[in-house]
Amino acid sequence: MLAGKRILLIVGGGIAAFKSLDLIRRLRERGATVTPVLTKASEEFVTPLSTSALAGQKVYRDLFDLTDEAEMGHIELSRAANLVVVAPATADLMAKMTAGLANDLASTLLMATDKRVLIAPAMNVRMWEHPATQRNLATLQGDGILTVGPDVGDMACGEHGPGRMSEPLAIVDAVEAALADGPLKGKHVLVTSGPTHEPIDPVRYIANRSSGAQGTAIARSLAALGADVTFITGPADVSPPSGVKVVKVQTAREMKDAVDAALPADAAVFAAAVADWRVENASGSKMKKDGSGKAPALEFAENPDILAGVSQLKKGRPKLVVGFAAETDDVEANATAKRKRKGCDWIVANDVSPETGIMGGSENAVSVISDQGTEVWPRLSKDQVAAKLAKRIAGALA
Ligand code: CTP
């Protein structure tokens, strides 16, 4: 529920703007107050009259509207909300946000706000996949901007692919996650997830079978309990959850840097399947067969152990550090030893033998090992494991 919450909704100029009218309706159904802001371009798609009628509120349009400035300055407008939502977030608006431009009301509000910002990108598939947009997305996510979507599907321009704005109800879910009032409100939790890719040369890499499903579910459950989540993910199969700060990395060393940059945190959950080794003699150009029939010799170097590093921090250690132990034999004994060796508070142990179907599957059977002993959980969906773990974390941080 969003009762009593105030949303500043910036509508960008794209065909998906018509869905923003439904979004206003859905947000209000849940009790939110919606203050709409239209850009010049969005007025080509929706009218100020229909927007204001649905919002039951005045629509803000122009930075230099002196009446508005007299009533409520743009600084105040940007801060009176609990959350700023940009839907649709066009390529142009994303670029403005990345560059820090403030040349109209929407971009000025986005620069002036001290509240969290959630964007729902929508654009043509080629514009979405353009390196400039992907660069901007990574920068915005790194700045803590929350994202929802885009979805994959047919687009108004006749093409198919990622770029459709998320459906209004999915955006409402992301708004609720971003504003969740739960036992973890005010707590910063970092979560690592997914595999890492360790390059051999520019086209080949060493990876593992982690899909990122469990780490993603954990981040989503923590956010649903109100936590401020930094989600550091390797190249996973599943999309990151909405309502969290996403940092995308490729290698173990990049993951370590991202974790260091995200600290301090109240709790840290290390669900990533980090490669233990990287190729030390990785080639800067594609390795070629030389005709001799001899395979190239790869030399390996050990990657930093991110979990152990954080667990053993003398200063600034999170209050609760949770590791995972992916084992194929003697699961409990190995995981218990791993907890001691790494110095974390809890280890979530799972059997990743191929016959369990856990790695890459939708279920998980885990034991949680702490200084209180071992708790064996039944086989549950990864979402259920995540919800149970998030609740346990909330209990430990209370
Ligand atoms: N981990 C990490 N950094 C690494 C390796 C592992 O942070 N370089 C974390 C994982 O995210 C997980 C835990 O350590 O939380 C255990 O990972 P696992 O692969 O089970 O253990 P390893 O340390 O790789 O030990 P081993 O290979 O001996 O089982």
Side-chain angles (χ1 to χ4, degrees), residues 270-272 274-276 304-307 323-327 338 341-342:
F270 293 89
V274 185
D276 290 328
D305 190 320
I306 309 166
L307 168 64
F324 272 69
E327 306 289 345
K338 198 170 274 180
R341 198 167 63 241
K342 302 220 183 199

Side-chain angles (χ1 to χ4, degrees), residues 270 305-314 317-318 321-323 339 341-345:
F270 293 89
D305 190 320
I306 309 166
L307 168 64
V310 171
S311 298
Q312 291 161 28
L313 278 176
K314 294 272 179 297
R317 181 191 191 276
V321 180
V322 183
R339 187 181 86 85
R341 198 167 63 241
K342 302 220 183 199
C344 56
D345 303 298

